[in-house]
Amino acid sequence: MSSSTDIDVRPVTEDELPDWERAVNTGFLRSPAVGEEQLAARRHRFVPGRVQGAFDGGRCVATFRSFAQELTAVGGAFVPAAAISHVTVTPTHRRRGLLTRMMTRELTAARERGDVVATLIAAEYPIYGRYGFGPATTTAEWTVDVPRAGLDPRRTGPADGGRVDLVDGADVRRLGPALHERLRRDRPGAVSRDALWWRTHTGELRFEASWTEPFHAVYRSADGEVEGMATYRADDTWGDAKQPLNTASVDRLIGVTPAAERALWHFLCSIDWVVTVRSGSRAPDDLLPHLLPDPRAARITRQADWLWVRVLDVVRALEARTYGGQGTLVLEVVDAAGPAGGRWRLEASAEGASCRATAEGADLVLGAGELSRLWLGDESAVRLAALGLVREERAGAARLADALLRTSRRPWCPDMF
């Protein structure tokens, strides 16, 4: 068995992508075989220096990738982020510090690039807290019992003068980017999508040979403006008495107005033969249940942490967002990995915020992961204090932190990466 010091952790060359992709498949318990279509798609996303691998005797045994991203902060500002993905360690090489070496390399590079935060979607909960990440958004999935929803089966379309049209992947690539830009300006936790994202999620560029073309629906307001879009799939299930029992499963649904969301959900619940609608990943305070005459027809069937954030630059992160009140907090951030550690004075108001290093006494003491959990406004400092994860040095400081940091609508990341 090779020691950890014998294993070479370094950036991957483009020629090494087949071996790297095999290791990715192995780590995610997929067939290790790498198809030509999968490899060709991967080459489109290859950025020299941002794909890492660990090599033992010339064989890739751990993988790591990052890419440039923008994350929406509270108030709508876009901050540069290092998005981390494809993190695997082959089962034969666990517990040798390979992820730590790759993560340390990336976080150092991200800070040098000027990234404010790093982001990831955690497959496993216990791993990333030790690197200063914290769960910053939650995802929920609803299952709608359509017959119980109370919708009029005679309805033929939106009652507001708008319309829902079915479109194809080319239309989605043409109409979707502008719609998503509108969404992410108003939703903390949303992330940017580049042109390759639209190509891969509409099947023009395929990572898997088993791609099945989904349905796409677009909502246009009465004046013809595109305000919502849904991508969904349907199964083919029939009961013993030849009654349809089909399920429509939503891949993605975004709306920039409540009218758009209402129209799209009502459309999905009106499709002939569909008796169940699965919502896909939604915000935990999504409007969906209350867009139905009977909200109890929609029940939560999955709820979990989703986007994890790691603050790299405390000053820029805290100054980028807006605040719900006025006040001053001195935060002592404990960060074993380095970049967020220190004592920081935050002065916040509705007009903006300033943050600077200070020698003043701390009001709250917390880890980098806890700061990251609080930054997007979903987590409660009072709750973290009750869990022993935040320590008050001044009475009432946690309540003040909540008054400043928490948001009226919960942050949401619609994307998996």
Side-chain angles (χ1 to χ4, degrees):
M1 177 183 292
S2 303
S3 69
S4 59
T5 56
D6 295 329
I7 298 173
D8 186 19
V9 174
R10 57 173 172 78
V12 171
T13 67
E14 190 167 357
D15 288 343
E16 292 171 321
L17 278 179
D19 190 31
W20 186 88
E21 196 74 25
R22 175 202 50 75
V24 169
N25 288 349
T26 299
F28 287 129
L29 298 180
R30 301 190 292 246
S31 169
V34 179
E36 287 302 317
E37 196 169 31
Q38 179 184 13
L39 189 58
R42 177 64 62 204
R43 292 188 193 281
H44 280 281
R45 287 209 173 275
F46 178 73
V47 178
R50 299 198 69 159
V51 180
Q52 294 186 62
F55 292 85
D56 185 3
R59 181 181 177 86
C60 188
V61 295
T63 63
F64 191 107
R65 182 175 82 92
S66 77
F67 59 94
Q69 184 185 75
E70 288 180 338
L71 173 64
T72 304
V74 177
F78 301 152
V79 301
I84 294 169
S85 185
H86 295 84
V87 177
T88 75
V89 177
T90 300
T92 54
H93 286 70
R94 298 167 64 246
R95 303 292 184 265
R96 301 198 203 178
L98 300 182
L99 173 55
T100 296
R101 292 168 65 184
M102 294 187 293
M103 183 68 78
T104 300
R105 178 192 292 265
E106 172 56 30
L107 294 183
T108 300
R111 185 63 191 271
E112 291 172 353
R113 286 192 301 263
D115 292 327
V116 174
V117 297
T119 61
L120 55 83
I121 307 292
E124 296 181 63
Y125 194 99
I127 295 174
Y128 294 100
R130 64 179 182 264
Y131 303 114
F133 286 83
T137 77
T138 298
T139 184
E141 181 175 33
W142 277 266
T143 297
V144 180
D145 182 349
V146 173
R148 183 181 172 181
L151 294 168
D152 185 349
R154 298 167 298 175
R155 67 177 294 278
T156 58
D160 58 4
R163 60 181 291 167
V164 174
D165 296 306
L166 289 176
V167 299
D168 61 20
D171 293 316
V172 172
R173 290 189 293 275
R174 178 171 55 87
L175 300 172
L179 181 66
H180 178 70
E181 286 301 300
R182 289 182 62 186
L183 174 81
R184 77 182 184 108
R185 283 197 298 267
D186 294 327
R187 196 74 194 220
V191 297
S192 54
R193 296 174 177 175
D194 61 14
L196 281 174
W197 188 97
W198 294 99
R199 294 183 65 194
T200 57
H201 286 81
T202 56
E204 186 182 52
L205 188 65
R206 302 180 183 181
F207 280 90
E208 297 179 8
S210 59
W211 167 267
T212 300
E213 189 74 18
F215 301 98
H216 305 286
V218 166
Y219 167 80
R220 291 180 170 90
S221 64
D223 62 6
E225 186 173 6
V226 174
E227 293 185 344
M229 182 176 292
T231 296
Y232 65 98
R233 303 171 191 273
D235 63 9
D236 185 20
T237 303
W238 291 74
D240 294 337
K242 203 178 178 182
Q243 73 271 33
L245 300 172
N246 294 293
T247 296
S249 297
V250 176
D251 289 348
R252 290 169 296 281
L253 186 152
I254 59 174
V256 295
T257 63
E261 292 187 58
R262 181 188 304 273
L264 289 170
W265 288 121
H266 284 195
F267 164 74
L268 290 162
C269 290
S270 74
I271 299 171
D272 287 343
W273 300 357
V274 168
V275 297
T276 303
V277 172
R278 295 182 64 90
S279 73
S281 179
R282 310 298 303 166
D285 60 349
D286 198 77
L287 300 179
L288 168 58
H290 299 284
L291 297 175
L292 304 174
D294 184 351
R296 292 184 183 178
R299 59 188 175 89
I300 290 180
T301 47
R302 180 171 66 101
Q303 185 162 328
D305 58 280
W306 192 243
L307 182 74
W308 288 54
V309 171
R310 206 285 188 211
V311 172
L312 299 171
D313 187 323
V314 174
V315 171
R316 291 170 66 200
L318 292 179
E319 290 185 346
R321 57 157 292 167
T322 58
Y323 295 85
Q326 182 170 338
T328 299
L329 276 172
V330 177
L331 305 173
E332 182 170 329
V333 181
V334 179
D335 187 5
R343 195 170 294 174
W344 311 95
R345 177 184 174 89
L346 170 66
E347 296 183 47
S349 71
E351 287 71 44
S354 66
C355 181
R356 59 178 176 81
T358 183
E360 299 175 56
D363 298 322
L364 287 177
V365 179
L366 69 169
E370 285 62 53
L371 175 64
S372 301
R373 293 173 71 164
L374 293 168
W375 178 67
L376 279 179
D378 198 37
E379 186 55 271
S380 161
V382 170
R383 183 169 177 267
L384 293 181
L387 292 168
L389 300 174
V390 167
R391 187 174 78 246
E392 277 193 328
E393 297 292 302
R394 176 171 63 85
R399 288 195 301 275
L400 175 58
D402 282 355
L404 294 176
L405 294 166
R406 300 201 79 183
T407 57
S408 55
R409 287 294 303 275
R410 298 181 71 175
W412 175 48
C413 178
D415 291 77
M416 161 72 84
F417 56 89

